[in-house]
């Protein structure tokens, strides 16, 4: 009787460990896979937008709303040239929000930072 119990315990320990390990691997596999998928998708979408959509969208916005005064290619017209401007982003945001001389304010309402970054990216 004693011997049988001992034998059972000896057999049960590795068996239990084996089962737990197996469940662990399966759960890890499922979770790991899901997390990878969830992480991969939004990132991929963001990168695509940064590469094409968002940049040209703000580019179109600036062409439509600023080129009338600042000239084709923003190289100067009624307003000064904006390509290669010496102003920093903060100063541009400030002018967009408050206007300056003949430059009306709030032309890029809510997009000031984005437009400023875009202007600084132009060469
Ligand atoms: C109605 C014409 C007009 C439009 C439209 C216009 N601007 Fe201007 N902008 C001006 C004028 C005029 C000045 C010069 C103001 C001054 O120095 O007195 C100016 C100045 C600026 C300056 C400062 C440049 C410098 O070197 O001092 C920035 C930056 C600027 N505009 C950005 C923009 C952006 C971005 C847009 C589009 C969202 C825009 N402007 C649309 C007329 C315009």
């Amino acid at each position: 009787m004693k011997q049988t119990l001992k034998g059972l315990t000896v057999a049960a320990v590795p068996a239990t460990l084996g089962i737990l390990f197996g469940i662990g691997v399966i759960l890890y596999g499922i979770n790991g896979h899901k997390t990878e998928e969830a992480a991969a998708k939004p990132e991929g979408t963001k990168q695509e937008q940064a590469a094409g959509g968002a940049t040209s969208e703000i580019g179109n916005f600036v062409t439509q709303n600023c080129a009338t005064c600042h000239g084709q290619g923003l190289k100067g017209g009624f307003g000064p040239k904006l390509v290669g401007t010496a102003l920093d982003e903060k100063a541009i945001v400030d002018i967009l929000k408050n206007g300056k001389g003949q430059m009306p304010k709030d032309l890029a309402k809510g997009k000031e930072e984005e437009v400023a970054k875009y202007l600084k990216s132009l060469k």
Side-chain angles (χ1 to χ4, degrees):
M1 193 56 188
K2 241 187 174 181
Q3 286 254 311
T4 333
L5 261 180
K6 202 178 168 196
L8 269 177
T9 323
V10 169
V13 170
T16 315
L17 283 178
I19 291 165
L20 284 177
F21 182 70
I23 292 172
V25 167
I26 291 165
L27 285 179
Y28 179 78
I30 294 169
N31 280 338
H33 198 67
K34 270 190 191 155
T35 327
E36 265 172 42
E37 260 183 359
K41 270 189 186 161
E43 242 178 65
T45 329
K46 253 187 209 161
Q47 274 172 351
E48 272 166 32
Q49 281 176 350
T55 317
S56 57
E57 203 180 296
I58 195 72
N60 286 338
F61 175 85
V62 168
T63 304
Q64 280 161 18
N65 292 280
C66 318
T68 23
C69 291
H70 288 277
Q72 220 184 11
L74 306 175
K75 292 191 173 121
F78 171 62
K81 83 176 167 84
L82 298 178
V83 178
T85 177
L87 298 164
D88 62 14
E89 274 178 38
K90 210 176 148 282
I92 297 172
V93 168
D94 196 58
I95 289 169
L96 287 173
K97 281 185 178 158
N98 302 309
K100 187 184 175 196
Q102 296 290 306
M103 159 99 187
K105 63 172 184 170
D106 286 340
L107 285 176
K109 215 170 165 68
K111 290 188 194 210
E112 288 92 351
E113 275 85 7
E114 213 183 332
V115 169
K117 266 207 184 85
Y118 174 75
L119 290 183
K120 293 303 286 182
S121 77
L122 298 174
K123 295 235 161 67

